[in-house]
Amino acid sequence: MRIYRGKDYKDMSRKAANILSAQVILKPSCVIGLATGSSPLGVYKQLIEWFIKGDVDFSEVTTINLDEYKGLEPENPQSYRYFMNDNFFGHINIRPENTNVPEGLAPEAEECARYDRVIRQAGGIDMQLLGLGRNGHIGFNEPGGAFDKDTHCVTLTDSTIEANMRFFEKAEDVPRQAYTMGIRSIMQARRIVVLASGEDKAAIVKEAFFGPITPQVPASVLQLHNNVTLVGDEAALSMM
Ligand code: GLP
């Protein structure tokens, strides 16, 4: 595992954006796996800036997002599709038809099978961007889940609902279920870039990358991947 240490959130976002833009420059038709949450926001902002300056071109890129709340329509401002359009896709020259996010309103079995097909037909993921949940979840793969799953529907844990409540008016509004790429889908990505920012991620970063590999800490499976880059700020890397 390679570790890049940024001074602060801005600096780590810039480092991670450099890795992503290198991928796009080296392979303009690459497939990038994307994440939501606050961790990747700075990366998206930086990539938009470089796009505007003419340094990076997304016209041939395909993106495949990790997850989506079940039951939310794409126009819902809390949906991950809305988040991606609003914070990234709407500001760069990616073709909308080349962006993929699970469809929250689609029926479970069909949607999960369709999403696995999307990944397969795209030729697999060249580079997957990941955030880390406070309990070690990646995508929406919560503790205790099996490592051998592809896209599936999960029931969110109380700690995830609580953590994600900040984006909703009240806890009852946070959807209880989500569609997510499974650990197997994530592990099949050729390269993985994990983002971690802030003091409240320090303990889980240490546990995930230096603790035992266990489904209780889903991100710990990343220790078995042969091309993982962790990009963190001082606070998130302070326990290592
Ligand atoms: C959500 C997302 C994850 C994300 C995690 C961490 O639960 N489904 O993909 O990594 O939150 O979010 P944040 O980056 O805001 O800490």
Side-chain angles (χ1 to χ4, degrees):
M1 178 181 55
R2 231 169 272 132
I3 304 178
Y4 289 93
R5 200 177 273 265
K7 286 193 292 290
D8 50 24
Y9 180 70
K10 191 159 192 261
D11 191 35
M12 67 155 251
S13 299
R14 188 186 164 92
K15 286 184 163 48
N18 261 307
I19 298 171
L20 259 91
S21 64
Q23 170 68 70
V24 174
I25 290 163
L26 289 171
K27 184 180 175 190
S29 62
C30 63
V31 179
I32 303 214
L34 294 177
T36 53
S38 37
S39 307
L41 273 177
V43 175
Y44 297 151
K45 208 166 153 226
Q46 180 66 79
L47 288 172
I48 292 167
E49 258 177 53
W50 288 336
F51 163 71
I52 293 169
K53 278 169 71 185
D55 289 347
V56 53
D57 172 15
F58 296 93
S59 61
E60 290 177 53
V61 171
T62 295
T63 61
I64 305 186
N65 261 76
L66 282 168
D67 47 14
E68 177 62 284
Y69 288 117
K70 185 178 178 190
L72 294 193
E73 63 284 7
E75 299 76 28
N76 187 315
Q78 309 297 350
S79 75
Y80 284 172
R81 162 53 81 180
Y82 188 98
F83 176 102
M84 290 308 300
N85 289 348
D86 196 36
N87 290 298
F88 194 37
F89 301 149
H91 307 276
I92 56 170
N93 67 336
I94 194 159
R95 296 193 190 130
E97 64 273 24
N98 288 353
T99 68
N100 297 279
V101 181
E103 286 175 21
L105 289 185
E108 189 172 322
E110 286 89 328
E111 182 55 10
C112 295
R114 182 192 73 84
Y115 213 63
D116 288 338
R117 259 191 329 269
V118 165
I119 301 172
R120 245 191 342 267
Q121 286 169 0
I125 295 170
D126 291 302
M127 181 174 281
Q128 176 68 53
L129 190 62
L130 289 179
L132 270 188
R134 280 151 195 77
N135 59 6
H137 73 239
I138 46 178
F140 266 134
N141 293 279
E142 297 280 27
F147 280 163
D148 63 351
K149 288 198 178 156
D150 295 318
T151 307
H152 61 293
C153 180
V154 289
T155 298
L156 305 180
T157 61
D158 291 344
S159 89
T160 299
I161 291 172
E162 204 178 297
N164 290 357
M165 214 173 82
R166 64 191 195 277
F167 301 110
F168 294 79
E169 261 176 39
K170 38 190 191 323
E172 302 89 84
D173 294 345
V174 187
R176 270 28 190 182
Q177 289 189 307
Y179 295 144
T180 183
M181 270 186 210
I183 296 286
R184 181 163 54 197
S185 342
I186 294 171
M187 288 296 279
Q188 279 169 353
R190 293 173 194 104
R191 292 196 155 86
I192 296 183
V193 177
V194 187
L195 302 171
S197 164
E199 233 183 303
D200 60 334
K201 294 287 172 74
I204 195 63
V205 166
K206 183 174 178 218
E207 221 183 316
F209 293 103
F210 298 97
I213 300 169
T214 160
Q216 291 315 318
V217 182
S220 65
V221 74
L222 299 172
Q223 294 180 41
L224 300 173
H225 194 282
N226 65 7
N227 198 320
V228 174
T229 302
L230 170 63
V231 189
D233 56 17
E234 290 289 355
L237 302 183
S238 60
M239 288 174 76
M240 296 170 36

